[in-house]
Amino acid sequence: MNNADNGYDNDGINGIEYIDDVAYDLLEEELRRAAAILDPVPAQLRQIAVEAFALHDLDARLAELTFDSVVDAIPVRGATDVPRMLTFHAGGVTVDVELTAQGLMGQVLPPQTAGIEVLSGPQAGSPLTTDDMGRFTYDEPPAGPFALRLRTGEGVLVTDWVTA
């Protein structure tokens, strides 16, 4: 069986010649311009995409969720408005977080100074700083999924995303 029987010929597929790289790049650019005119990306969606990429830290270590009181704790009968307890680990760093309707508070262990951001969407929340004991508070309860980004002397650490 030769190439002509398979729909291939020496010049390309089904009589269509192979496009060289320069022609391919020009065609791609022309298609991008046509898409931008005929079906433009909404400005708000473009801004969200840019901000989401800005939140991405390539060198950040991921702090894994190792305890969640919603899943791992034994419920106490009659208890209401019990704070949610979360624990994250990455290497030798532990982040304990208590989530309530009033906000969240936590502690970095071993105690150290860290800059903390509460990530809950395309924009980071107000920057927080730990005290000498590694404690921090955030007075706004996160709505929906959130994560914490910690900047310590050892680098950047980002927690798993958790739904509030």
Side-chain angles (χ1 to χ4, degrees):
M1 190 185 306
N2 64 30
N3 285 340
D5 295 335
N6 289 333
Y8 294 87
D9 58 26
N10 292 336
D11 295 328
I13 300 172
N14 293 328
I16 300 173
E17 293 184 18
Y18 289 113
I19 301 173
D20 65 357
D21 289 341
V22 174
Y24 180 78
D25 291 342
L26 291 172
L27 176 62
E28 181 181 9
E29 182 59 32
E30 189 66 27
L31 290 172
R32 286 183 191 279
R33 282 188 289 211
I37 293 168
L38 299 174
D39 189 19
V41 176
Q44 183 179 9
L45 181 59
R46 182 183 303 272
Q47 183 64 32
I48 288 172
V50 168
E51 290 170 353
F53 183 75
L55 294 177
H56 183 58
D57 286 311
L58 294 176
D59 59 346
R61 292 181 299 156
L62 182 63
E64 181 181 5
L65 179 65
T66 58
F67 177 81
D68 184 347
S69 62
V70 171
V71 177
D72 302 318
I74 299 172
V76 177
R77 186 171 66 181
T80 60
D81 272 347
V82 178
R84 183 176 180 186
M85 306 300 291
L86 305 166
T87 301
F88 301 93
H89 287 286
V93 178
T94 300
V95 182
D96 288 322
V97 178
E98 181 177 311
L99 180 63
T100 67
Q102 290 75 37
L104 59 88
M105 64 179 150
Q107 185 173 19
V108 179
L109 297 169
Q112 57 189 289
T113 302
I116 299 175
E117 297 169 80
V118 179
L119 310 174
S120 61
Q123 298 174 348
S126 301
L128 310 169
T129 305
T130 60
D131 63 12
D132 293 338
M133 298 296 295
R135 298 174 298 197
F136 61 93
T137 59
Y138 186 68
D139 295 331
E140 298 177 32
F146 74 96
L148 301 175
R149 180 187 299 142
L150 292 82
R151 297 183 189 279
T152 67
E154 299 174 11
V156 179
L157 183 134
V158 178
T159 66
D160 279 336
W161 285 81
V162 179
T163 301

